[in-house]
Amino acid sequence: MDYLEIQGGNRLHGTVTIDGAKNAALPLIAATILAQTPVTIDNLPRVNDIFTMLRLLENLGSTYTFEGNSATIDATTIDNTTAIYDIVRKMRASILTLGPLLARFGICKVSLPGGCAIGQRPIDLHLKALEMMGAEIEIKEGYVIATAPDGLKGATIVFDKITVTGTENIVMAAALAEGKTHIINAAKEPEVVQLCEIIRDAGIKIEGIGSDELVIHGSGGELIDIRHITVIPDRIEAGTYLCAGAITNSSITLEKVNHAHLVSIILKLQEMGYDFEIEKERITIKPASRIKPVRISTSEYPGFPTDMQAQFMALALIAEGTSTIEERLFENRFMHVSELNRMGAKITLNNHIATVEGNAELYGADVMATDLRASSALVLAGLIAKGTTRVHRIYHLDRGYVKLEKKLQKLGAKIERLKE
Ligand code: UD1
C-alpha cells in the first residue's frame, strides 16, 4: 500500500492547475445512460472514483475510451441492468446509476451502498422520490430492485433534506419520464447545475436551474441528444490548494478555476486575513500578516461545504486564537480530529462542534487517512509540522485528488509517495 511522506516547514510558491470536478463528472458519466449516441466528456479527472464509475458502466455493457482527460462513452449497448456489489461498495456514488437505468429500462437492480466512515448516508430520499414517480421498489439481499414496467411518470417531489446525489438521480430519471416532474427543496450545488444544463442542452426543458425548485419536462422514454461535455473545475480541489497556500502562509496561484463556485471558501479565508488576486479562471492567494481564528458551520451550497471542513480545521490550528467548526451535514465527519491531535493539535469535540486551539506546535507523526477529505487535512498539517509526517491509507486520497503529491512538489513542498 502507498503512503505519503512529508517533511514540514517549506513555504510554497508557483502555480497549480486544477482538474475537472469529480463530483460533477460522476453524475455526467451516469447521464450517458440516457443518451442516444456515444458521449465525449472532456476535463475528466484521472482519479479512482472516475475509473470505478467507468468500470460500472462497462459492467452494464457500455464501452469507453479514456485518453488524457477525455473519455468517450457508448452506453447505447447496455444489456444488463444490475449494478453489482463488488463495484458499488468501492464508491457510494454508484447509486447515481439507479435513476437513469430505471428510466431507460423500466427495471434495474443496484446494490445498496451501505454506510461509510463519515456517517450512515441512507438513500431513502432517492427511493421515496422514485416511488412517487411510479416505481415499485423492493430491498432484497442487499440490492435495490426497482421496476416501472409502464415507465416513470412525472410527479411532485419534496425532498425532506437537501440531497446532492438524490437530486441528480431524480433529475436524470425525470428526463425520460412521462410528463412534468417538480422537485422542491432541490440541491443547488454547481455539480447539480451542470447536470441540469447538459440535460437541458440535450433537448429536455428544465425550469429553475440553479434554484431549489426544478421543473423537468420528461421525454416520455425517448433517449436524449447528449454529445459533448466539458466538466466544470473542481471547487474542492481548488479549495484544498488554497488551504495549502494559507497554511504555509505562501503566495500560490491556481489556474483553471471558477471563482464563482469558491465564494464561501474565499470569504472564510479573507475573514482569516488572507488576500486574493482574482482574474479570469485564476486565483492567487497572498499571505496574511495575522491569521485570525474562524467560525465555520457547514451547509448546503452556496454555504460553506462540508467537503472543506477538514482542511479548514488543519488551517485553524495556526490561527491566533480559538476557532469553532460545526459539522451540520454528516454525523461522523470528524475522524481527522484524533489524527490531528496525535500531531500535537488541541481539538476538542462536543457532538458536532469542534473547538480548535490556535498557535499549535505540530510535529510529524504516522497518521491514518480515514476518508477522502480528512486525508487532505492530514497532508496540510504535515506541510507545517516539525519533522516527518507519514500519511497512511492514501487510497482514500487517490479516489478524488489528481496526483496530489506531484502538484504539491511542483509548488515546492517536500512530499513523496512511498510503498509500505
Ligand atoms: C454529495 C457529495 C459529497 C458531499 C455531499 C454534501 C457526490 C458524489 N458526493 O454526497 O462529496 O459531501 O454531497 O455536500 O456528489 N441523506 C438522507 N437520505 C438520503 C440522502 C441523503 O438522509 O436519501 C442525508 C445524508 O445522510 C446527509 C445529507 O442528507 O446527512 C446530505 O447528503 P447528500 O447531499 O445526499 O450527500 P451525497 O449526495 O451522498
Side-chain angles (χ1 to χ4, degrees), residues 7 11 24 40 68 76 117 197 203 212 218 261 348 352 371 375:
Q7 306 290 339
R11 285 196 112 175
T40 297
T76 62
E197 287 173 349
D212 55 9
H261 298 163
T348 49
H352 52 282
D371 71 67
S375 323

Side-chain angles (χ1 to χ4, degrees), residues 211-252:
S211 79
D212 55 9
E213 269 195 62
L214 296 168
V215 180
I216 301 132
H217 300 256
S219 72
E222 204 181 308
L223 296 183
I224 60 175
D225 191 20
I226 312 176
R227 298 279 170 97
H228 189 255
I229 302 171
T230 302
V231 178
I232 57 171
D234 195 318
R235 63 195 168 99
I236 305 302
E237 190 197 20
T240 304
Y241 284 99
L242 289 178
C243 284
I247 203 165
T248 53
N249 212 14
S250 309
S251 178
I252 63 167

